[in-house]
Amino acid sequence: MVQQVTPETTTEVIYPESDGQPMADNTEQFAWIVKIKENLEILFASQADVFIAGDLFWYPVKGNPNIKQAPDTMVVFGRPKGKRGSYLQWNEDNIPPQVVFEILSPGNTLKEMTKKLQFYQRYGVEEYYIYDPDKNDLNGLIRSEDSFEVIEEMNGWVSPRLGIRFTLTLDTLEIFSPTGQKFLTTVEINQLREQERQRAERECQAKEAALQELEKERDHYQELLAKLTEKGIDTNNL
């Protein structure tokens, strides 16, 4: 009697794209997440191989959906822009995010933040920045071989990967692009855009007025020449 061999079935591993938790605990935290993420998008808009995401699950280990984190903002050099439900590292040339930002809220616990630090350290993050808007406190860690080293002075620090500069004032954190452009909120960006539109409109109106004035002077000059010609004056010798 021939024994029938039943093929082994492979269970599909599901990598959830959401944990049902809110992106942020309050408006301040949300505003900072959006500000950093969107300004980085603007900064690297012309580089097709820089992927930036906010609150996106990152799975570094294939086959284990329990190993994951969703950084407030993460930057991956060497991966194309585009839509993703989650960042499955094995589908991304096994490239981990090199830069990660976390914005603290009152709901963050020491245990939670310690676990995140250990995760980012273990799975290859090069630069890790943590900002507490309530305390206006910025901390940074940078990879040194297999572990993180604390950046002793964050005020004036320039990110090796991003080229952005951090400045702490008495009230808030300011971030500047490599060209010196300050990171702005979407409202501030829109206000600047509107100011630029109004300035361009004023310049256009001023040019139009100048052209009209020039046209009037030309017409007046032609009228004057015509009158002189009527009186028999040779205008060619004027």
Side-chain angles (χ1 to χ4, degrees):
M1 181 177 179
V2 178
Q3 184 178 2
Q4 297 292 326
V5 177
T6 304
E8 291 185 8
T9 58
T10 303
T11 304
E12 182 184 2
V13 179
I14 304 298
Y15 301 92
E17 296 179 359
S18 173
D19 58 3
Q21 298 298 314
M23 178 178 175
D25 292 340
N26 55 55
T27 56
E28 181 78 0
Q29 185 190 27
F30 181 80
W32 272 103
I33 293 170
V34 172
K35 182 177 183 179
I36 291 173
K37 189 262 183 188
E38 290 304 307
N39 278 270
L40 288 174
E41 291 275 19
I42 293 169
L43 179 59
F44 293 102
S46 63
Q47 294 183 227
D49 64 343
V50 180
F51 173 67
I52 299 166
D55 195 42
L56 184 75
F57 269 143
W58 161 27
Y59 292 94
V61 181
K62 186 175 183 179
N64 194 335
N66 294 319
I67 300 177
K68 64 182 184 298
Q69 280 295 340
D72 287 337
T73 300
M74 67 180 187
V75 185
V76 191
F77 290 86
R79 296 307 302 152
K81 302 181 189 302
K83 296 180 180 179
R84 291 167 174 79
S86 57
Y87 190 82
L88 306 177
Q89 188 171 312
W90 54 94
N91 289 338
E92 306 283 356
D93 286 346
N94 207 34
I95 298 176
Q98 292 95 349
V99 185
V100 162
F101 291 83
E102 292 287 355
I103 307 300
L104 297 186
S105 72
N108 290 125
T109 64
L110 178 60
K111 180 180 179 181
E112 174 191 0
M113 297 312 297
T114 301
K115 288 176 68 175
K116 285 186 177 183
L117 187 152
Q118 291 172 340
F119 180 96
Y120 297 145
Q121 180 172 263
R122 180 173 183 179
Y123 292 108
V125 170
E126 297 175 12
E127 300 176 40
Y128 177 27
Y129 300 106
I130 313 108
Y131 180 56
D132 184 342
D134 288 340
K135 297 179 181 179
N136 189 29
D137 183 41
L138 176 67
N139 288 282
L141 300 105
I142 192 162
R143 179 167 294 277
S144 176
E145 297 182 350
D146 294 329
S147 62
F148 279 144
E149 285 187 0
V150 174
I151 300 168
E152 295 297 337
E153 181 55 69
M154 282 303 303
N155 193 18
W157 172 261
V158 176
S159 161
R161 271 286 189 175
L162 306 176
I164 61 176
R165 175 169 52 86
F166 302 93
T167 299
L168 282 165
T169 69
L170 290 175
D171 303 315
T172 190
L173 167 66
E174 293 181 344
I175 306 175
F176 298 88
S177 74
T179 59
Q181 296 293 319
K182 184 180 173 182
F183 276 26
L184 302 173
T185 65
T186 51
V187 172
E188 290 169 333
I189 291 171
N190 186 65
Q191 288 172 341
L192 281 181
R193 188 183 293 117
E194 179 61 20
Q195 289 171 9
E196 178 60 25
R197 186 194 66 78
Q198 292 177 2
R199 184 194 64 78
E201 190 175 301
R202 287 194 299 269
E203 283 187 0
C204 184
Q205 290 171 349
K207 285 178 182 178
E208 237 180 82
L211 285 173
Q212 288 174 359
E213 188 62 33
L214 188 62
E215 187 72 16
K216 285 180 183 179
E217 290 181 6
R218 187 185 67 82
D219 290 344
H220 179 69
Y221 179 69
Q222 292 297 333
E223 288 174 6
L224 181 60
L225 288 179
K227 288 179 180 179
L228 291 174
T229 302
E230 286 176 4
K231 293 180 178 181
I233 300 173
D234 185 1
T235 57
N236 291 323
N237 294 323
L238 291 177

